[in-house]
Amino acid sequence: MKKQISKWLSILLPLLIGIAIIYYQFSTLTADEVVKIKICFKKANYSYIYLSLIISILGYWSRAYRWKYALNHLGYQTKFHNNFFTVCVSYLVNLTIPRSGEITRAALIKKYEEVPFDKAFGTIVAERIVDLLIFFLFVIVGFVSQFDTLYRFLKTKNISFDTILTAIFAMIVLFIIFIWIWIYAEWKIIQKLKQKLSGLLEGIFSIYKMKDRWKYVLHSFFIWFAYLMMFYVTIFALSETATIGFNIVLMGFIFGSLAVGFSNGGLGAYPLSIALIFSLYGISNDIGTAFGWLVWTSQTLFTIVMGLLSYLLLPLLKSK
């Protein structure tokens, strides 16, 4: 019974959060702004949207190829099309329950390539760690380069520099307390976390030992480059965003990526975060909202189509 409740909560809670965010966003828009958003969708140059989808395919391809290096390192020579299709399906499943796609990907590669689930899942965990490290590089570059803009925004919210320093000091103190608990506490939950962390570290070290590790790393950077370019080319779909600077694109990309984890595939949260970030740079709320929904809708529909098509092709190619 508890598992059933937990399962439904994991599906419904992110969905409800997304719906609540959509309601909040559109309740703050005026009737005139809603009309402008509709006009933006009608007049958008969809050639750039299609270009962003082509770049998305390159990102999918690179992720599938990178996975092949990790599986080869474990001694499994998998077919590339199976890697690619399982990656596509995993993106689709992530739209239902956040991060459940990783489990699905490991299960599918076990079914179609007979790779043990635990080993396949270990390679996926290692991927996530590498992806997280690369994303942190984007965050560092973005926040350092845009410190003045972010600081001015905080000042408009009456958040002083002393308050920021106090918050940083508090986080450092909490971090030290956490490290102390991590080292000396004998709590069961801490011991379980240590076991999981050791598995994650093992996944990272397996990349270091990998024969094709530099190709693996290059593909990792290419995947994120594709994500960024996919977002960047979309700005040319609207005349109002076509001239914005790359600094705005970078910040939008960072906060949009963070928003994806708040609800099912970023439902509601993604367009709202884009509108908020764009507003820091003087872009009107209706244009920021329209752009956010344009990017999110096109990518989500593409994910659904690719995922369903891949799910149908997997058994068909195996039977042949």
Side-chain angles (χ1 to χ4, degrees), residues 31-44 46 286 290:
D32 186 50
E33 286 176 325
V34 173
V35 171
K36 286 181 180 178
I37 291 170
K38 291 179 180 178
I39 292 172
C40 283
F41 267 81
K42 289 180 181 178
K43 72 174 186 179
Y46 284 91
D286 53 306

Side-chain angles (χ1 to χ4, degrees), residues 26-307:
F26 280 91
S27 65
T28 59
L29 294 171
T30 64
D32 186 50
E33 286 176 325
V34 173
V35 171
K36 286 181 180 178
I37 291 170
K38 291 179 180 178
I39 292 172
C40 283
F41 267 81
K42 289 180 181 178
K43 72 174 186 179
N45 186 342
Y46 284 91
S47 297
Y48 290 103
I49 300 297
Y50 301 142
L51 178 59
S52 74
L53 299 182
I54 292 171
I55 296 172
S56 294
I57 293 177
L58 293 176
Y60 285 25
W61 170 84
S62 188
R63 184 172 289 279
Y65 214 90
R66 179 182 67 170
W67 194 23
K68 189 174 179 68
Y69 291 130
L71 294 173
N72 286 351
H73 176 68
L74 296 177
Y76 298 97
Q77 303 294 324
T78 57
K79 297 181 183 68
F80 175 76
H81 67 262
N82 282 334
N83 290 6
F84 181 80
F85 291 147
T86 53
V87 164
C88 292
V89 174
S90 71
Y91 279 119
L92 171 63
V93 175
N94 276 335
L95 294 178
T96 58
I97 305 175
R99 294 306 167 202
S100 60
E102 282 77 358
I103 298 171
T104 302
R105 176 146 64 111
L108 286 174
I109 207 68
K110 177 181 183 297
K111 179 178 180 180
Y112 292 103
E113 290 286 356
E114 297 181 359
V115 178
F117 178 86
D118 56 341
K119 291 187 177 182
F121 189 70
T123 61
I124 296 168
V125 169
E127 281 184 15
R128 286 289 171 241
I129 296 171
V130 173
D131 289 339
L132 189 61
L133 292 173
I134 295 174
F135 179 66
F136 275 145
L137 288 177
F138 279 100
V139 172
I140 292 168
V141 171
F143 276 69
V144 170
S145 63
Q146 298 301 300
F147 177 79
D148 290 342
T149 302
L150 294 172
Y151 181 60
R152 283 197 301 270
F153 170 73
L154 292 174
K155 285 183 72 175
T156 61
K157 300 297 181 181
N158 296 320
I159 301 173
S160 66
F161 188 69
D162 290 339
T163 304
I164 297 172
L165 285 178
T166 303
I168 293 172
F169 178 74
M171 286 189 287
I172 292 172
V173 171
L174 289 172
F175 179 73
I176 292 171
I177 293 171
F178 173 77
I179 294 298
W180 186 86
I181 292 172
W182 183 268
I183 295 172
Y184 296 106
E186 297 294 332
W187 304 337
K188 286 184 178 179
I189 187 170
I190 296 295
Q191 298 305 314
K192 287 182 179 179
L193 286 172
K194 284 182 178 179
Q195 289 177 0
K196 289 186 177 182
L197 181 62
S198 64
L200 297 180
L201 291 174
E202 186 179 350
I204 285 291
F205 288 130
S206 69
I207 295 171
Y208 178 75
K209 297 173 184 176
M210 195 183 299
K211 179 183 175 183
D212 296 309
R213 59 182 176 275
W214 293 116
K215 293 178 182 178
Y216 185 97
V217 171
L218 285 173
H219 271 284
S220 298
F221 277 99
F222 179 80
I223 289 165
W224 281 93
F225 175 75
Y227 288 164
L228 179 59
M229 288 300 101
M230 173 194 75
F231 183 83
Y232 175 66
V233 299
T234 316
I235 69 170
F236 300 106
L238 297 177
S239 58
E240 294 86 352
T241 58
T243 57
I244 65 175
F246 191 76
N247 57 333
I248 305 175
V249 172
L250 180 60
M251 295 306 292
F253 171 73
I254 290 171
F255 280 89
S257 299
L258 290 171
V260 170
F262 281 95
S263 57
N264 303 65
L267 174 67
Y270 186 93
L272 178 63
S273 67
I274 298 299
L276 289 173
I277 290 300
F278 278 18
S279 68
L280 298 183
Y281 297 89
I283 299 171
S284 63
N285 188 38
D286 53 306
I287 297 301
T289 300
F291 178 82
W293 278 105
L294 194 62
V295 175
W296 184 85
T297 304
S298 60
Q299 289 296 327
T300 301
L301 289 175
F302 180 73
T303 299
I304 292 170
V305 170
M306 290 294 293

